[in-house]
Amino acid sequence: MFEKIATLLRLMRIARTLARHDALAAFEEERLVPGQLAAVAVWWGRKLSRRNTPGRPGEKLARALTELGPSFIKLGQFLSTRADLLGEQLATDLAQLQDQLSPFDGSLAKSIIEKELGKDLDQLFLSFDLDAISAASIAQVHFAETAEGEAVAVKVLRPGVEESFRKDLKLFYSLASLLEKNRPSLRRFRLTEVVQTFHDTVRLEMDLRMEAAGACELAENFADDFSYDTPTIDWDRTSRRVLTMSRIEGIPLNDRSALLAAGHDLEEVLTRAAAIFFNQVFRDGFFHGDQHPGNMFVGEDGRLVAVDFGIMGRLDKNTRFFLADMLVALLRENYVKLAEAHVTAGLIPANQSIETFAQALRSVCQPIMGKDLSHFSFAKMLGQMLHLAESFDMTIQPHLLLLQKNMVMAEGVSRSLDENLNLWSLAQPLVEDWILKNRGPEARVREGITTLSGSLEKLPRLINNLEAASEKFSQSGLRLHSETIQDFHKESSGTARWAFILAIASLAFSIGFTVNFILFYG
């Protein structure tokens, strides 16, 4: 009872904040008001609502979430990837949500650093600026100089942020559960799973050692590539709540006038950006998950430099192959193959009509086919494709949402620098080369042989396991005469040898058939 009252009071405070910004419309328009407690809170908040507040519902909601604090800001940014759930315009507005808060007192940052690293601040740094250079929902950054004379940036977790997120996440889980209970049509969006994904993302982001590890992994992936750089991590001055890294200097990637004044060629900058993005996604399957302009800079030497590695994305080989197959089918305007790629990847149920889904894909993709890629809007096409989800019970994969969000960001930066250039047209040669090497006929032959070879390697162990199982079964499951068991082993050994020979012959035939089939049909 007391818990319900506490939840109601919490919801009423949230509703009041939303009402002050006239942001309740965003929930009411989407009918996202679950349960009696939430309905009461929204009714109460509506009574206090300010009418005629300027802006779209999503813009009003973004302002309200900013006031509600760190976990709501992060939630809004996370939900900006869910155009399928919120609608394209609302998701676009939330994508503009700025993760900027007032800094906490520098003396608190000093105390956290000393407690985490076990040393006095003057033992760690020659100088330390108590005024933060930037402050976000989870941490803030201070400039400092190490005892060795290195210029560094020190990121410090906000005091109490972990407990604050813990309480808010409990509320988010409750609301997601209520939505799934009261709106059966929303169950396919797996809202509780969405909150769990958000929870996992935030949990990793609040461990600054994970961010340090992400920066190091990116640096290793681009060790031989001069075009991309990341800060060097000072592991001796890094812990769960403190991250120390080399200080970087550069021009924000979207500052067109500053880049031109510094003599940078915008097409070269965008070409580098396209190659970096492509290599992270397709080559490495490990990409910077928050590539907004505030985290990307152009150095004096022309290199692109990234900061803030709290959110990183991973794509396994099968997912990358799906993306490649999807691109090939799209470029060939083979919408049946495009639909089949979605089924193979598990994005839509196998019981859906492939032909009807292919027709729906054609309705979205056909209008842009044959047009100059410089005028192609991936963001627009993406929004339309996500709208197909409801009609075909499409399952939205969380690991793809982060990629989609970053593609939209990248497109926005590209157009802000030069509206006649587009990252996709610049990256097209790289994409085509990767597809040829990894999804072309020869690659598929290699893949088939590898798969079959793996099966061959497992056969002897499988046969041994079967023999062991038969022996155990004969001894404990069936009480056979000892002579019968001996006869059984003689027979099974011979059978096993013949089975192994037949399996090798069968697999050899399969390899030959696969090679000839792929080479013939491409």
Side-chain angles (χ1 to χ4, degrees):
M1 181 64 180
F2 290 110
E3 186 175 349
K4 284 188 176 181
I5 293 173
T7 300
L8 176 60
L9 292 174
R10 178 88 169 101
L11 288 171
M12 289 173 71
R13 285 194 293 270
I14 293 170
R16 186 177 180 181
T17 301
L18 293 169
R20 281 202 301 270
H21 294 274
D22 195 22
L24 289 170
F27 292 88
E28 293 172 335
E29 287 180 12
E30 299 296 330
R31 294 178 292 168
L32 298 176
V33 183
Q36 294 179 346
L37 286 179
V40 169
V42 168
W43 175 86
W44 184 84
R46 174 57 74 191
K47 294 298 182 183
L48 304 176
S49 177
R50 293 179 180 178
R51 302 293 177 177
N52 300 320
T53 303
R56 294 185 298 272
E59 293 173 327
K60 298 174 186 179
L61 180 58
R63 290 194 289 266
L65 292 176
T66 300
E67 184 179 331
L68 284 168
S71 53
F72 288 86
I73 292 172
K74 281 293 179 186
L75 179 65
Q77 292 176 324
F78 180 80
L79 289 176
S80 69
T81 66
R82 298 306 305 261
D84 58 308
L85 177 59
L86 301 181
E88 188 175 352
Q89 186 60 66
L90 185 57
T92 300
D93 289 335
L94 287 180
Q96 309 306 314
L97 198 59
Q98 295 298 306
D99 193 3
Q100 296 175 346
L101 293 178
S102 299
F104 59 88
D105 194 287
S107 61
L108 286 174
K110 175 179 179 292
S111 299
I112 292 171
I113 293 170
E114 291 179 337
K115 182 179 179 180
E116 283 289 305
L117 301 181
K119 292 182 180 180
D120 291 338
L121 197 69
D122 55 9
Q123 293 180 284
L124 295 163
F125 302 104
L126 196 62
S127 64
F128 185 90
D129 191 347
L130 290 176
D131 294 325
I133 191 67
S134 66
S137 58
I138 286 180
Q140 67 185 32
V141 178
H142 296 259
F143 280 166
E145 184 179 347
T146 67
E148 296 79 22
E150 296 291 330
V152 294
V154 184
K155 191 171 186 176
V156 186
L157 212 64
R158 280 186 176 273
V161 70
E162 293 133 312
E163 179 62 19
S164 174
F165 267 89
R166 187 190 66 78
K167 291 179 180 178
D168 288 334
L169 279 164
K170 186 177 180 181
L171 178 65
F172 298 158
Y173 276 116
S174 297
L175 292 176
S177 178
L178 281 170
L179 274 170
E180 289 180 332
K181 181 179 178 181
N182 290 278
R183 292 283 309 282
S185 62
L186 293 178
R187 288 174 188 165
R188 68 184 179 82
F189 291 111
R190 299 181 295 180
L191 298 179
T192 303
E193 191 174 316
V194 169
V195 176
Q196 180 64 57
T197 303
F198 173 63
H199 186 176
D200 294 340
T201 300
V202 170
R203 179 174 53 82
L204 293 177
E205 200 171 352
M206 285 192 291
D207 186 341
L208 298 183
R209 295 169 301 184
M210 293 297 292
E211 179 173 345
C216 289
E217 186 170 348
L218 269 185
E220 288 178 4
N221 291 343
F222 285 84
D224 300 322
D225 190 340
F226 178 78
S227 67
Y228 189 61
D229 197 15
T230 59
T232 302
I233 302 301
D234 184 343
W235 284 102
D236 292 333
R237 296 176 177 86
T238 293
S239 69
R240 189 162 68 89
R241 293 185 176 90
V242 178
L243 168 60
T244 303
M245 66 197 109
S246 59
R247 198 185 307 176
I248 65 101
E249 296 181 356
I251 301 169
L253 185 57
N254 66 337
D255 194 338
R256 187 175 189 277
S257 58
L259 290 172
L260 290 173
H264 293 291
D265 184 304
L266 297 183
E267 185 171 352
E268 287 183 8
V269 169
L270 283 176
T271 301
R272 289 194 194 100
I276 290 165
F277 189 82
F278 166 81
N279 284 327
Q280 287 185 14
V281 172
F282 282 95
R283 184 192 67 189
D284 305 326
F286 183 68
F287 61 94
H288 193 301
D290 196 16
Q291 297 187 96
H292 64 74
N295 287 338
M296 301 289 291
F297 301 87
V298 181
E300 185 178 349
D301 55 7
R303 283 193 293 182
L304 268 69
V305 187
V307 296
D308 195 353
F309 309 95
I311 302 174
M312 303 300 295
R314 290 190 185 275
L315 298 173
D316 60 29
K317 184 180 291 186
N318 288 335
T319 302
R320 283 178 271 164
F321 284 173
F322 157 69
L323 292 171
D325 292 344
M326 186 177 69
L327 284 170
V328 170
L330 184 62
L331 291 172
R332 292 178 178 175
E333 299 184 50
N334 190 333
Y335 298 107
V336 171
K337 286 289 185 184
L338 183 57
E340 289 173 348
H342 282 75
V343 173
T344 302
L347 294 180
I348 65 170
N351 62 357
Q352 291 289 334
S353 168
I354 292 290
E355 291 76 13
T356 305
F357 185 52
Q359 183 180 354
L361 289 171
R362 181 187 292 273
S363 72
V364 170
C365 303
Q366 193 72 45
I368 59 96
M369 298 311 296
K371 290 187 177 180
D372 185 348
L373 275 178
S374 64
H375 300 292
F376 164 61
S377 172
F378 181 86
K380 184 177 180 180
M381 190 186 78
L382 174 62
Q384 292 172 334
M385 290 186 73
L386 289 175
H387 275 98
L388 296 176
E390 191 167 0
S391 301
F392 292 91
D393 293 330
M394 186 183 292
T395 301
I396 306 301
Q397 301 292 341
H399 59 272
L400 286 175
L401 294 173
L402 189 60
L403 173 64
Q404 293 165 346
K405 175 185 175 182
N406 278 274
M407 285 182 168
V408 173
M409 284 183 182
E411 182 182 288
V413 171
S414 172
R415 296 201 187 284
S416 70
L417 290 182
D418 190 334
E419 61 181 12
N420 295 317
L421 289 176
N422 188 294
L423 283 178
W424 319 128
S425 59
L426 295 173
Q428 188 177 7
L430 295 172
V431 173
E432 290 174 348
D433 183 61
W434 188 89
I435 287 174
L436 182 63
K437 290 179 180 178
N438 291 273
R439 299 304 283 163
E442 292 182 6
R444 290 180 184 271
V445 170
R446 289 195 303 270
E447 183 184 351
I449 292 174
T450 301
T451 301
L452 292 171
S453 297
S455 299
L456 273 173
E457 290 176 0
K458 293 177 183 177
L459 267 178
R461 187 168 69 248
L462 176 62
I463 293 169
N464 288 334
N465 289 341
L466 287 171
E467 286 185 329
S470 68
E471 181 177 356
K472 184 175 180 181
F473 183 73
S474 65
Q475 291 176 345
S476 58
L478 290 174
R479 296 184 178 180
L480 300 177
H481 191 275
S482 58
E483 292 181 3
T484 305
I485 295 174
Q486 290 176 2
D487 291 341
F488 176 80
H489 279 304
K490 290 178 182 178
E491 293 296 327
S492 66
S493 297
T495 303
R497 283 193 294 271
W498 277 108
F500 187 64
I501 293 169
L502 288 172
I504 291 176
S506 176
L507 287 171
F509 171 78
S510 298
I511 291 173
F513 178 80
T514 302
V515 171
N516 285 302
F517 180 84
I518 293 174
L519 290 177
F520 182 78
Y521 289 102

